[in-house]
Structure formats: C-alpha cells, structure tokens
Amino acid sequence: MNDRSIYPLSQPVKGAGGKTGSWRTAKPVIDLEKCSGCLLCWLFCPEGCIGKNDRSIDYAYCKGCGICGAECPKKAIVMVKEEQR
Amino acid sequence: MKKILDTGNAACALAVKAARVDFVAAYPITPQTSVVEKLAGYIAEGKMNAKYLPVESEHSAMSAVAAAAAAGARVFTATSSQGLLYMHEILHYAAGGRLSLVMANVNRAVCAPWCLYVDHQDAVSQRDTGWIQLFAASTQEIYDSIILAYKVTEKIHIPVIVNYDGFLLSHSMMPFETVDQDIIDEFLPPFEPAWRLHPQWGGTFGNVTPAENYAPFRHSLAADIRKAGEVIEKIAREFEKLTGHWHGGLFDAYRTEDAEFFLLSMGSMASEMELAVDILRDKGIPAASIRLRVFRPFPAEELSRLLPDGARLLVFDRNYAFGTEGGVLLAESKAALFNRKDDIKVVGRAVGLGGEDLPADFLAEKAREMMEVLK
C-alpha cells in the first residue's frame, strides 16, 4: 500500500467512474403509491442508486439498466425513455 | 540435514511442507500428480498445517491460490502442460497483481498430438505473463529452488514458477539432502505481505483502471522483473551460507576454461550436456556447457559476460518458437548478443521434444552438426 503503482489496489469511492447517469437511455420512475416497500429494487440495483429509506433514485449515477423495474413484483417501477422527458 | 532417496515430485512436496505453506489448491495432471497427492496426504495426516482445496480445473486452482495470496496466505500449486496453459489468463492476473506465489510446473509436451513426456513448450508459452521462471536439473535443485522461490516472491512480489522435467526428474529417484526445519524457518520467516485483502480494509485489487493508471503498473512490473536476477542470485548465496547447497547463479557453467564452443540448454538435458562436453573435450574440441537456471528474467547481460570474444554459442531448445528459425532460447540468445561487436556466432536446434531421449553421445553429435553449420 506504500506505492500505488506497484500494487493495483483501490478503495471504492462514490462517483470514481464519473457521472454514469449520462449513459442512460431510459430512466426508472417509481410510483410510491404502488410500491409495497419490499426493497427488492434496492437489493438488486447493481449501482446502489436506490435509497433504502425513501426509495429515491440517484439519477446522477443510475445507468438505466432496468433491473429494478424487471424485479419489482408490484410493477411500481417503469422505464421511461429519456427522449420522452 | 538428512539424506534421502526419492523422486523429484517427493522432493518438491517435502520442500513445500518445509516452507510452511498455508494453502494449496490444485488439480491433478500427469506428471505433476504425485506432488499434490503427497501434499494432500501431509495435510490429511496433520503433518502440514494448511488448507487443501480440491478444485475442478487449473483455471480455478490458480484463481484460488491468487485469491488466497491476496488475503495474505503463503500458497502453492503445481501443474503441467495443458494445465499450465489453462491457467494462462490468471497467470497474468497474479503477476499484474504483484502477488507472492510459488508454483511447480512439471514440464510436459503440449497437445496436439497428445504426449505425456517432457519438453519445455508449456513453460516457454507462459514467457510473457510476468512470472519469474526457474529451471531445476536435479532432485536437490527442485527442493532448494522451491524454498528459494518463496524467499524471492515474498521479497519482490512477483510470482515464481519452478520448472522441472516430467518423468526424468519428477519420477526418477535421486538422493538429496533435506534441510533442517529450524534452518528453513530462519531463512524463510512467516509471510508478511505488503497488503492483504480484508473486510476491515474494504478495498479491492486489480480493479478497472484507466490508461494513465494502468501503464505505470505495467512499467513497474517490467522494471522489477528485470532486477529479479540480482535478487535471485543474492538469495541463492544466502541459502548456500545456511545449507552449503549451491547450483550456480543465473547460469551453471561447466568446463568454460579456454572454451570456444558453448552448449546452452536448460533442465535435465543440461546435466547430460556436461557428459556431452566431456565427449567433445576427449576429441580435442574446446566445448563447455552453460545451463540456464533462470529463464525469466532472461539473463542477457550475464550470458554475454560468460562468452569470450569470438565464442560459438550452440543453443539446444526443448521447445519451438513457432514462426522463428528455432526455439525460444535461440531467439533470446541472439537478441542478447546482438550488440556485440566481435565475431560471436549463434546457432540452434530444437531437440528432445515430447520426451525424445537425449543421451550424451546424441547431444555431442548434434553439437558437431551445429559446429559444421558455423564453419
């Protein structure tokens, strides 16, 4: 750990890969009325972009993969094309 | 110190036990099998305090030992031939990750056609993975090289392959001397890694890296492996001081006094080469044998220093560098000597492929053929 160019070590930092939200072609939109709070979306999100407490989505880093929407048993998350904003 | 009679694979397993390895993951393959069988036995009988992980492939074996090394364990695996080829991807990971690892590769020809016997195609095919590669030529040298390899890899954080010839060394019995445990413990204190994967640290290794960070890692590995020859020689001297065992530095040279023809080879062939040199000397031909012990890093400067002005270098490769005029050692030797201003000449032959027998008179005859070419 003394010389970073000998050992390829890294520690995760928020946003180390840049604002990956710009990669998105479709964004997940959550309907909290339909949401039962099961937190499957929080569990499955590969980027950790869903807030555990308020189920808010961090659009700065969400890449729009759609896994949250596909996993949601209540169909409370729909993917909206970015062009349609 | 205790003198025993056993096989190369037995010597290898005894050295791994003496090095107090913590973790072994391996997949059996001829002719490596009896190394890992013996280690599994030592661990099952409680003679060795280590974890043995039986895995489903060599790719997994190398992945497992690399991960255990990253977690700070002293690790070992062994393989041969196709098994080594199957590890190839993770060999790059281990070297690029600057992990301290030791592996025995019991040299065997590669497919196709299928062949169980010795040549060095498996090892030379891993030439550019960033591993240090040693070649042993006796049971004693296998034992000593394994212990030396741990000292080297833990000092400079570059993984080491200890190569030795399948069947000729792995399965034939030769007397060798084991080193007392207290001497080995003095030489090889418990492994203290520079870093280790641990949940409390919360970091990762080998993660995705942009070019501006990637390039410095590769440049430092390239620079450090070039310096490894010096480290290996120094550590070999340290081991000699404790045990009296010495097999040469980067090269083991034989009858070099007033020599004109230098017969370069590695592995067990190089032991036989000394007898070939005797045959040639008896006929008045000033021949010498130089046995390469350290294939990676290739000791180019040391090779040049061994060869006087106008020397004739005869290279015996037990492999092919396909698409070139011969084997890997031929190409590397020529590159090493390219800047020489004198009348030095190099010629080579690929011999002993797939376990082709190489008795001394055959090697002497091959040498004479090569001398004719140089006339």
Side-chain angles (χ1 to χ4, degrees), chain B residues 247-282:
Chain B
H247 307 280
L250 307 180
F251 289 95
D252 183 18
Y254 179 72
R255 295 188 81 168
T256 52
E257 70 288 350
D258 308 319
E260 187 186 336
F261 299 97
F262 293 78
L263 283 54
L264 173 68
S265 60
M266 51 187 190
S268 64
M269 169 173 35
S271 307
E272 194 72 11
M273 202 65 80
E274 296 185 358
L275 302 177
V277 163
D278 290 343
I279 293 171
L280 294 167
R281 287 266 179 178
D282 285 349

Side-chain angles (χ1 to χ4, degrees), chain A residues 1-12, chain B residues 98 157 194-195 201-206 217 220:
Chain A
M1 252 174 279
N2 42 6
D3 184 344
R4 285 172 59 87
S5 60
I6 293 181
Y7 312 107
L9 309 176
S10 56
Q11 282 188 283
Chain B
R98 300 301 296 265
H157 313 287
W195 62 277
W201 169 51
T204 68
F205 105 98
F217 289 122
S220 66

